[in-house]
PDB file of all heavy atoms in Angstrom:
ATOM      1  N   LEU A  45      96.675  99.904 127.435  1.00  0.00           N
ATOM      2  CA  LEU A  45      97.840  99.977 126.560  1.00  0.00           C
ATOM      3  C   LEU A  45      99.041 100.470 127.350  1.00  0.00           C
ATOM      4  O   LEU A  45      98.979 101.514 128.001  1.00  0.00           O
ATOM      5  CB  LEU A  45      97.561 100.926 125.392  1.00  0.00           C
ATOM      6  CG  LEU A  45      98.721 101.171 124.429  1.00  0.00           C
ATOM      7  CD1 LEU A  45      99.084  99.894 123.684  1.00  0.00           C
ATOM      8  CD2 LEU A  45      98.373 102.283 123.444  1.00  0.00           C
ATOM      9  N   LEU A  46     100.134  99.744 127.294  1.00  0.00           N
ATOM     10  CA  LEU A  46     101.348 100.135 128.018  1.00  0.00           C
ATOM     11  C   LEU A  46     102.279 100.954 127.126  1.00  0.00           C
ATOM     12  O   LEU A  46     102.749 102.019 127.509  1.00  0.00           O
ATOM     13  CB  LEU A  46     102.086  98.896 128.516  1.00  0.00           C
ATOM     14  CG  LEU A  46     101.321  97.982 129.475  1.00  0.00           C
ATOM     15  CD1 LEU A  46     102.174  96.764 129.832  1.00  0.00           C
ATOM     16  CD2 LEU A  46     100.922  98.739 130.736  1.00  0.00           C
ATOM     17  N   ILE A  47     102.549 100.439 125.930  1.00  0.00           N
ATOM     18  CA  ILE A  47     103.506 101.069 125.032  1.00  0.00           C
ATOM     19  C   ILE A  47     103.261 100.533 123.633  1.00  0.00           C
ATOM     20  O   ILE A  47     102.732  99.421 123.470  1.00  0.00           O
ATOM     21  CB  ILE A  47     104.959 100.767 125.472  1.00  0.00           C
ATOM     22  CG1 ILE A  47     105.990 101.500 124.613  1.00  0.00           C
ATOM     23  CG2 ILE A  47     105.230  99.266 125.446  1.00  0.00           C
ATOM     24  CD1 ILE A  47     107.421 101.382 125.159  1.00  0.00           C
ATOM     25  N   TYR A  48     103.616 101.349 122.604  1.00  0.00           N
ATOM     26  CA  TYR A  48     103.609 100.791 121.268  1.00  0.00           C
ATOM     27  C   TYR A  48     104.779 101.300 120.450  1.00  0.00           C
ATOM     28  O   TYR A  48     105.327 102.383 120.714  1.00  0.00           O
ATOM     29  CB  TYR A  48     102.271 100.979 120.558  1.00  0.00           C
ATOM     30  CG  TYR A  48     101.961 102.347 119.992  1.00  0.00           C
ATOM     31  CD1 TYR A  48     102.233 102.642 118.661  1.00  0.00           C
ATOM     32  CD2 TYR A  48     101.326 103.305 120.773  1.00  0.00           C
ATOM     33  CE1 TYR A  48     101.896 103.872 118.126  1.00  0.00           C
ATOM     34  CE2 TYR A  48     100.985 104.533 120.236  1.00  0.00           C
ATOM     35  CZ  TYR A  48     101.264 104.817 118.922  1.00  0.00           C
ATOM     36  OH  TYR A  48     100.932 106.042 118.396  1.00  0.00           O
ATOM     37  N   PHE A  49     105.179 100.490 119.477  1.00  0.00           N
ATOM     38  CA  PHE A  49     106.337 100.734 118.628  1.00  0.00           C
ATOM     39  C   PHE A  49     105.889 100.866 117.169  1.00  0.00           C
ATOM     40  O   PHE A  49     104.948 100.201 116.737  1.00  0.00           O
ATOM     41  CB  PHE A  49     107.326  99.560 118.700  1.00  0.00           C
ATOM     42  CG  PHE A  49     107.962  99.342 120.034  1.00  0.00           C
ATOM     43  CD1 PHE A  49     107.307  98.643 121.036  1.00  0.00           C
ATOM     44  CD2 PHE A  49     109.241  99.818 120.294  1.00  0.00           C
ATOM     45  CE1 PHE A  49     107.905  98.424 122.268  1.00  0.00           C
ATOM     46  CE2 PHE A  49     109.848  99.601 121.511  1.00  0.00           C
ATOM     47  CZ  PHE A  49     109.176  98.908 122.510  1.00  0.00           C
ATOM     48  N   ASN A  50     106.613 101.690 116.427  1.00  0.00           N
ATOM     49  CA  ASN A  50     106.474 101.744 114.982  1.00  0.00           C
ATOM     50  C   ASN A  50     107.862 101.570 114.385  1.00  0.00           C
ATOM     51  O   ASN A  50     108.770 102.355 114.705  1.00  0.00           O
ATOM     52  CB  ASN A  50     105.859 103.073 114.529  1.00  0.00           C
ATOM     53  CG  ASN A  50     105.763 103.177 113.013  1.00  0.00           C
ATOM     54  OD1 ASN A  50     105.726 102.172 112.304  1.00  0.00           O
ATOM     55  ND2 ASN A  50     105.705 104.397 112.507  1.00  0.00           N
ATOM     56  N   ASN A  51     108.022 100.569 113.529  1.00  0.00           N
ATOM     57  CA  ASN A  51     109.330 100.296 112.936  1.00  0.00           C
ATOM     58  C   ASN A  51     110.427 100.221 113.998  1.00  0.00           C
ATOM     59  O   ASN A  51     111.502 100.829 113.860  1.00  0.00           O
ATOM     60  CB  ASN A  51     109.672 101.349 111.884  1.00  0.00           C
ATOM     61  CG  ASN A  51     108.800 101.220 110.659  1.00  0.00           C
ATOM     62  OD1 ASN A  51     108.445 100.116 110.233  1.00  0.00           O
ATOM     63  ND2 ASN A  51     108.423 102.349 110.078  1.00  0.00           N
ATOM     64  N   ASN A  52     110.115  99.516 115.071  1.00  0.00           N
ATOM     65  CA  ASN A  52     111.052  99.213 116.161  1.00  0.00           C
ATOM     66  C   ASN A  52     111.323 100.400 117.085  1.00  0.00           C
ATOM     67  O   ASN A  52     112.104 100.274 118.030  1.00  0.00           O
ATOM     68  CB  ASN A  52     112.398  98.687 115.635  1.00  0.00           C
ATOM     69  CG  ASN A  52     112.244  97.630 114.572  1.00  0.00           C
ATOM     70  OD1 ASN A  52     111.228  96.946 114.522  1.00  0.00           O
ATOM     71  ND2 ASN A  52     113.235  97.503 113.710  1.00  0.00           N
ATOM     72  N   VAL A  53     110.695 101.534 116.850  1.00  0.00           N
ATOM     73  CA  VAL A  53     110.928 102.725 117.663  1.00  0.00           C
ATOM     74  C   VAL A  53     109.734 102.941 118.597  1.00  0.00           C
ATOM     75  O   VAL A  53     108.585 102.935 118.131  1.00  0.00           O
ATOM     76  CB  VAL A  53     111.114 103.968 116.772  1.00  0.00           C
ATOM     77  CG1 VAL A  53     111.263 105.221 117.632  1.00  0.00           C
ATOM     78  CG2 VAL A  53     112.322 103.785 115.864  1.00  0.00           C
ATOM     79  N   PRO A  54     109.977 103.130 119.900  1.00  0.00           N
ATOM     80  CA  PRO A  54     108.845 103.402 120.805  1.00  0.00           C
ATOM     81  C   PRO A  54     108.206 104.743 120.483  1.00  0.00           C
ATOM     82  O   PRO A  54     108.893 105.758 120.385  1.00  0.00           O
ATOM     83  CB  PRO A  54     109.505 103.396 122.197  1.00  0.00           C
ATOM     84  CG  PRO A  54     110.947 103.669 121.946  1.00  0.00           C
ATOM     85  CD  PRO A  54     111.268 103.111 120.603  1.00  0.00           C
ATOM     86  N   ILE A  55     106.901 104.737 120.310  1.00  0.00           N
ATOM     87  CA  ILE A  55     106.169 105.947 119.942  1.00  0.00           C
ATOM     88  C   ILE A  55     105.453 106.564 121.145  1.00  0.00           C
ATOM     89  O   ILE A  55     105.449 107.774 121.318  1.00  0.00           O
ATOM     90  CB  ILE A  55     105.132 105.645 118.840  1.00  0.00           C
ATOM     91  CG1 ILE A  55     105.823 105.049 117.610  1.00  0.00           C
ATOM     92  CG2 ILE A  55     104.340 106.902 118.472  1.00  0.00           C
ATOM     93  CD1 ILE A  55     106.881 105.936 116.991  1.00  0.00           C
ATOM     94  N   ASP A  56     104.834 105.745 121.943  1.00  0.00           N
ATOM     95  CA  ASP A  56     104.075 106.234 123.088  1.00  0.00           C
ATOM     96  C   ASP A  56     104.225 105.244 124.233  1.00  0.00           C
ATOM     97  O   ASP A  56     103.755 104.127 124.141  1.00  0.00           O
ATOM     98  CB  ASP A  56     102.599 106.409 122.713  1.00  0.00           C
ATOM     99  CG  ASP A  56     101.765 107.030 123.834  1.00  0.00           C
ATOM    100  OD1 ASP A  56     102.256 107.114 124.979  1.00  0.00           O
ATOM    101  OD2 ASP A  56     100.626 107.441 123.560  1.00  0.00           O
TER     102      ASP A  56
END
Side-chain angles (χ1 to χ4, degrees):
Chain A
L45 177 66
L46 300 178
I47 184 171
Y48 77 95
F49 295 82
N50 177 24
N51 290 323
N52 314 335
V53 176
I55 302 301
D56 185 348

